Amino acid sequence: MIQLAKRVIRQTVNDKRSVMLILVAPLLILTLVYLLLGDSDYVATVGIEREAVPAPVITALEQQELTLVDLTASQVEQADDYLQQHESVDAVLRFPENAGMAITLYEPSKKGATVMAEIQDAMADVNPSADTEVSYVYGTSDQSTFDSLGYVFLALFSFFFVFIISAMALVRERSRGTLERLMMTPIRRGEVIAGYTAGYGVFAIVQAILIVLYAIYVLQLSNSNAGNIGWVLLTMVLLAVTAVSFGATISIFAGTELQVVQLIPFTIIPQVFFSGLIPLDLVPYHLGNLSYIMPIYYGAAAIKGVMVYGDGFAEIWGHLAGLTAYALVLYLINTLALKKFRKL
């Protein structure tokens, strides 16, 4: 038993990926969680019509961690339109006659909850019994968590499972020597990558379509009336194709299926945090900008734009272009990486 334990220890110590997974990965992930979920330095912005707000309320609001923006009476009355046109403003606050307080927020989110907490703290010092009416430009206060974050899971599940299948399959091709024998033929490296991408891409596309239709029509995931499901399907297809290329890239650095799994904490888990589960403008130290190097962000943002905001191609084309560019870059990287398998 002792000899077996010693052999396991020696094998693990000699495997740098296993050592990283056991000792380094938990610390990196824990640090990332601390930075993303810790105290945020975000200061919410609230629009008000000063002339229509009691002076004690103004004073109480100014004592909170809020930035007040002066609005006209028409802007306050048309709060939905104003918030759509001014993304930097988080809420519009008004005080209808004999009707307490009305707050209009962009959507139910952690950022919206932060704004509400600051306003309620201010009102607790002035009129704690005041009635509060809360409305949202998009969504409702009683919608489920699945309705609020379903678009993230559509992108995440599609990307993750296709990534796992393609990465492990390509590693298996290498371990069996199939890839080396293939590279000894006159076939071009670019054709090899395109062939693998097309082959696994077919199943990825079928999976993407199945996930979208099941989520919307069976699980009744909330979908904006103005949103075109076709753009969601296109986004999922691009995301799935990108996942195939991403899996091929990761397989370059992995010698076995186990090593593919060992790389997940460094390749997939960070993308989960930047996919939209956490409002990126609440993340301190400008870490939210890291989302621009993560493919899941582009897919989740485009799906959210269509399903939540009812966006069309004019609004989501940048995210689709980001996914396309990501897939092309990975294609070039994979093509260049095949050089080491060319024996002739």
Side-chain angles (χ1 to χ4, degrees), residues 6-42:
K6 289 181 178 180
R7 182 171 64 85
V8 171
I9 293 174
R10 285 195 300 270
Q11 289 177 345
T12 304
V13 171
N14 292 331
D15 185 353
K16 296 180 180 179
R17 292 182 180 87
S18 295
V19 174
M20 292 283 289
L21 183 66
I22 296 172
L23 301 180
V24 180
L27 301 182
L28 291 177
I29 299 301
L30 189 61
T31 301
L32 185 60
V33 171
Y34 167 77
L35 293 174
L36 295 178
L37 301 182
D39 293 334
S40 173
D41 57 357
Y42 181 77

Side-chain angles (χ1 to χ4, degrees), residues 110-179:
K110 181 181 178 181
K111 186 165 65 173
T114 301
V115 178
M116 284 291 299
E118 295 293 339
I119 294 176
Q120 290 173 347
D121 288 344
M123 293 303 298
D125 298 330
V126 180
N127 185 6
S129 61
D131 294 332
T132 303
E133 176 187 346
V134 180
S135 60
Y136 298 93
V137 179
Y138 298 103
T140 60
S141 58
D142 59 348
Q143 69 182 23
S144 66
T145 303
F146 181 69
D147 286 332
S148 300
L149 299 175
Y151 66 91
V152 175
F153 296 110
L154 287 180
L156 182 60
F157 291 157
S158 176
F159 188 92
F160 177 73
F161 290 114
V162 173
F163 160 79
I164 287 293
I165 292 174
S166 61
M168 288 192 171
L170 290 172
V171 168
R172 194 179 305 117
E173 292 274 82
R174 288 168 48 194
S175 62
R176 293 176 178 176
T178 305
L179 183 59

